[in-house]
Every structure is written in structure tokens, then in C-alpha cells.
Amino acid sequence: MGMTITEKILAAHAGRDKVCPGEIVEVRPDLLMTNDISGPIAVDVFKSMGAARVFNREKVVIVLDHFTPNKDVKAAKSSSKMREFAQSQGLVHFYDAGFGIEHVVLPELGLIKPGDLVIGADSHTVTYGALGAFATGVGSTDLAGAMALGQIWLKVPETIRFEFKGRPNRWIGGKDLILLAIGKIGVSGALYCAMEFGGEAIASLGMDGRFTMCNMAIEAGAKAGIVEPDEKTLEWLKEIRARRGMVEKPVSEADGPLNEAIARLRSDGDCNYKSIITFDVAALEPQVAAPHLPSNVRPVSEIKDVKIHQVVIGSCTNGRISDLRAAAEILKGKKVSKWVRTLVIPGSQAVYKQALEEGLIDVFVDSGAIVSVPTCGPCFGGHMGALDEGERCVSTTNRNFVGRMGHEKSQVYLSGPYVAAASAIAGRIAHPEEV
């Protein structure tokens, strides 16, 4: 019996030839990550364990992004605590307020490559599966132990294969595909499984769209989301690494060049999937998740005319450059409704700078949108864009739970950037072809 890509990665990091779903294995992650919310707790636990130094100062990453730029004194204290820890440990990868959102920053810094195993004290760590890595979120206590020991135990998940057939039309992106999948299986439909995405539609999808899909695997209860790396992955990595002056390194000394390793990171033809779910997306229309679950998904045509008060375009789900390009394509030469606060939040300073160079920021400002420094703020109702009672928001973020973005009687509709931008202009949920 062969193995899935997920099983291959876990076996490699457990020092085993083979692992099977349900097994508990001890693995040595390639990278650990935390932020200004989960990090302070992890630091306290790390110290209470009697640990003095992290296992490897190059493999522990801290990004301050949730309550930053700091919204109040409590947030400032959390950030200070993480700065002091990073300095005392001599961490190589510490990124302060405004640098960017962790799940956008780590890939664009070239810190993750196919076949890696990444642990983060944030549920959306699953994002990195887009690169063909196994990435998952853990609690602060688990992260503290991993920071001290350089290892952690995991249960090998079963894999569900999602096959997307057909080439989607111009308005369809990764957000629409993952909402379609979550709408099909529900918010616990992939509980502790790996969601493996493949098929013609995934092959045609850009890397930003793949990041979006893996980012939301956790919204179906999955342990990880993953896409088998291909030539598109390789080209994206080469561009990222060339931009940063990085020398291509083998996955390991034994694995050889990156492209050879990528060729091996595929699920075997005789692997054992828990199930295979197939979609034909050639005629798919944009998808929207209505309140209050990411699984409450409908085609946009079924929920048009819902009046809105705010639009948010950004976050670790849809804050990358292709998302901003999509929004600018809709907003160029038009004005957002005077009754709809429209926030555009680049996922990182690098995305912000590229958007400036491409003239996208001018488009947003001219349309009447608000452009913000990179932050997670509005996604979880932390700051910048909290909703009042009765207000409705169309957001490219990943969760629409009760009270997620503010008042418990507010409502969040999840969509891709095309629908979000069109809705900002129309003042109601709208198909991009309407504007």
C-alpha cells in the first residue's frame, strides 16, 4: 500500500519509512511559529518548564500581527514581552508590528518549502500546505514544549482527496472553491483529516489561490490542507528566493535539488484515501458563506440584495497581491457606496509595496476605500473595523461566527475579493458582473 503526500512528509520527519493513519509519531518540525496572542502564553509555559534556550534560534519565528499596531496598553505589553523574548533568545526571524500577517509573511520570506513540517500556535498555520508542506496549528503549551525540545507528537491523519474538475470562469478563485468544499462537507466534515486538493482547477489556480484554499481547511475541522507541489510551485519558489537573494538549497542533503524532491512529493497511486470527493467547477458561480458558519454557503445569485455596512478585503486568507489586483479590477474608475466603509488591508508590507508600484493603492483611495497597514485586526474583531449591532459585513476573511467581527448581533458574509469589491460599490451583496 502506498502513502499520501501527508503520510510521506510525516514519515520523513519521524525518521520512519512508513506511517499509517491513526499512529502517534514523534516528529521534528522544520519551523515553529507564534504571534502576539498565543506567544505570551507559550513564553510563560516555556519558562515554567525550566527551559533556558529554544532548541534552534533559526527555527522559531515570531510575527506580531494580531493586535498590532498595538490598540491599547494590554496589547502593547504582549508585544513587549515577545520582543524581549526574541532578543534574549537571539531569534533570527522576529517580525515586529506592521511587517505583515504571519501566514502571508512566512511563505514570501522563503522560509517554507515543499516537504517541510511546520507547527504554529495559530489555527490558520494550515495555510502553508499550499507549498506542499504539512503545516498545522497547536496550542501555546504544545508550542512551548516544541520550542524547548525541537520535537512534538502528532497523530497521523487520514486524507480526504478533493478533486476539482473543469476550468473555472474568470470570477472564480480559491475562496470560491474552498467555500464550495466546506459547504459540501460541513464545518466538521474533515475532522482531524488532511484535505488534499487536486484536479484541473487546482492546477490552473495560482499560488495565492492555493494559499487561500489551504488557509480555510481548518474551517472544515481539518488537521491540514495540502496541494501536491508542481511546476507552478517551483516557479513561485524560485521567484521568491531570487527576489530575496536566497541560494536554492536541497530539501535535505540526501534529497538532492528542490525540483527532484518535489517530484517525489505526490500521493502514490495505490494510497488509501478516507474518501474522494469530486466537483465539476466549470460552470461554478461565485460562492458566499452567509452567517454564521463558513459552511452556510450559497451561490451569490441566491443572496443578492442583502444590504451591507462594511467590506473588508485582506487577511491571511485573501490579502495577497492577486487578491488586491482582483479588487482593483472591479473598483477602478468607480466609487464605493458612501454608506459602506470599505477597508483594504494588504497582507504584508511587501504586498503593500507591490500594490503601490502597480497603482492599485491609487485605485483604492480614488474609489473611496480605506487602505490600512498590514494587520489581522478586523478579521477577529480585535481592532480596526469592529461591527456594531445589526451591521452586516462582506469580508474576504475566513470566519463568520457569531460576534466574530464585533457585536454578537452583527453579521459577516464571507466571499472572494471580486464579490467583496462589487458589493462595496453596490451597497449590497453583488455579483461582479453587476457593476
Side-chain angles (χ1 to χ4, degrees), residues 305-320:
D305 303 329
V306 174
K307 290 186 178 180
I308 60 173
H309 306 85
Q310 181 168 289
V311 162
V312 173
I313 298 169
S315 82
C316 62
T317 314
N318 283 109
R320 296 177 178 82

Side-chain angles (χ1 to χ4, degrees), residues 109-111 240-248:
L109 288 176
L111 296 179
I240 288 289
R241 290 174 169 228
R243 194 183 305 163
R244 300 194 59 78
M246 299 171 70
V247 176
E248 182 177 324

Side-chain angles (χ1 to χ4, degrees), residues 155-217:
K155 185 171 78 172
V156 179
E158 293 182 294
T159 296
I160 302 174
R161 171 85 177 183
F162 293 80
E163 193 78 13
F164 294 86
K165 294 184 175 180
R167 290 184 70 89
N169 69 49
R170 63 174 302 209
W171 306 119
I172 300 300
K175 187 62 156 289
D176 304 286
L177 300 183
I178 188 62
L179 287 180
L180 179 71
I182 296 172
K184 172 75 173 180
I185 65 174
V187 292
S188 59
L191 204 59
Y192 210 96
C193 292
M195 296 176 74
E196 181 181 302
F197 304 115
E200 182 183 5
I202 304 304
S204 67
L205 200 61
M207 287 305 299
D208 287 358
R210 298 180 187 184
F211 283 120
T212 300
M213 293 193 68
C214 291
N215 174 275
M216 290 194 67

Side-chain angles (χ1 to χ4, degrees), residues 16-251:
R16 302 260 299 272
D17 292 331
K18 185 176 179 61
V19 296
C20 295
E23 279 191 273
I24 305 295
V25 294
E26 285 190 358
V27 294
R28 302 190 71 83
D30 296 290
L31 208 65
L32 305 173
M33 186 276 299
T34 188
N35 54 51
D36 51 308
I37 284 188
S38 57
I41 303 170
V43 167
D44 287 342
V45 175
F46 179 86
K47 292 179 178 176
S48 71
M49 293 167 56
R53 310 296 298 178
V54 298
F55 81 103
N56 186 325
R57 69 187 188 92
E58 295 186 1
K59 293 189 174 184
V60 177
V61 183
I62 294 175
V63 184
L64 306 186
D65 57 1
H66 276 66
F67 282 116
T68 59
N70 296 141
K71 77 178 187 71
D72 55 24
V73 174
K74 184 179 179 182
K77 286 185 179 298
S78 293
S79 291
S80 293
K81 187 171 191 171
M82 297 313 293
R83 287 188 196 100
E84 291 165 4
F85 181 74
Q87 283 186 308
S88 67
Q89 295 289 325
L91 299 189
V92 173
H93 297 293
F94 171 75
Y95 303 100
D96 212 324
F99 192 91
I101 299 171
E102 53 202 356
H103 306 312
V104 178
V105 166
L106 267 63
E108 76 180 16
L109 288 176
L111 296 179
I112 298 165
K113 58 187 180 305
D116 276 356
L117 195 159
V118 184
I119 300 296
D122 186 279
S123 61
H124 292 105
T125 301
V126 290
T127 305
Y128 316 137
L131 287 166
F134 179 87
T136 195
V138 298
S140 296
T141 303
D142 292 325
L143 186 81
M147 288 197 303
L149 303 173
Q151 61 186 40
I152 192 170
W153 66 262
L154 293 171
K155 185 171 78 172
V156 179
E158 293 182 294
T159 296
I160 302 174
R161 171 85 177 183
F162 293 80
E163 193 78 13
F164 294 86
K165 294 184 175 180
R167 290 184 70 89
N169 69 49
R170 63 174 302 209
W171 306 119
I172 300 300
K175 187 62 156 289
D176 304 286
L177 300 183
I178 188 62
L179 287 180
L180 179 71
I182 296 172
K184 172 75 173 180
I185 65 174
V187 292
S188 59
L191 204 59
Y192 210 96
C193 292
M195 296 176 74
E196 181 181 302
F197 304 115
E200 182 183 5
I202 304 304
S204 67
L205 200 61
M207 287 305 299
D208 287 358
R210 298 180 187 184
F211 283 120
T212 300
M213 293 193 68
C214 291
N215 174 275
M216 290 194 67
I218 186 66
E219 310 311 330
K223 189 67 175 173
I226 197 163
V227 177
E228 295 165 307
D230 57 11
E231 285 300 316
K232 195 171 286 186
T233 316
L234 191 60
E235 288 304 311
W236 189 89
L237 283 165
K238 285 181 176 177
E239 182 182 336
I240 288 289
R241 290 174 169 228
R243 194 183 305 163
R244 300 194 59 78
M246 299 171 70
V247 176
E248 182 177 324
K249 296 179 181 177
V251 171

